[in-house]
Amino acid sequence: MAKALKINARDNCAVLLTDVKKDETVEVRSEAGVFSLNARCAIALGHKIALMSLAADQPIIKYGEEIGRAQTAIEAGDWIHLHNVYCRRGHENQE
C-alpha cells in the first residue's frame, strides 16, 4: 500500500512517501489519524495528492499555507502539480 503524509490540519493535499500506481489505495497519516483514498493516476514519490475535491480557483493548502490555486477542478486522489495549479505570488507587479 502506498503511503502519504498530511503535514498540517488545514492541508487539502498530502505528500506521497512512496510511488503510487493508478487506482492504488493510499494510506494517509495525519495528526488526526490514518485514512485511505484511491489514487486516480500514477503519482511519484514526493508529489502531492488531493485529499478532497477542489473547484477551479480554490486554494491548494500545504504546510497550512496556500501554495497556489486549482487551475481546473481537481478530484480527491488526483495528482496536484504544475498542470492543474497556478500561483500569482511574485507576479503581482508584472501586469
Side-chain angles (χ1 to χ4, degrees):
M1 178 182 301
K3 299 188 183 296
L5 179 63
K6 180 180 176 182
I7 297 163
N8 185 284
R10 292 187 59 222
D11 293 354
N12 55 19
C13 64
V15 177
L16 286 164
L17 303 175
T18 56
D19 290 338
V20 63
K21 298 175 184 163
K22 181 180 180 178
D23 296 323
E24 186 175 2
T25 300
V26 178
E27 180 182 89
V28 181
R29 295 187 177 272
S30 72
E31 289 179 348
V34 179
F35 61 95
S36 298
L37 75 151
N38 288 334
R40 291 174 39 95
C41 60
I43 309 170
L45 160 81
H47 285 253
K48 296 173 293 301
I49 188 168
L51 298 177
M52 61 189 65
S53 296
L54 304 167
D57 202 43
Q58 190 169 346
I60 306 296
I61 308 294
K62 181 180 175 186
Y63 308 124
E65 298 294 328
E66 181 177 325
I67 61 166
R69 292 189 167 260
Q71 197 169 48
T72 61
I74 297 172
E75 297 298 322
D78 277 345
W79 179 33
I80 295 179
H81 199 55
L82 300 173
H83 68 285
N84 59 5
V85 175
Y86 72 92
C87 181
R88 296 297 306 153
R89 186 175 296 167
H91 298 277
E92 296 90 353
N93 297 324
Q94 294 182 0
E95 294 179 6

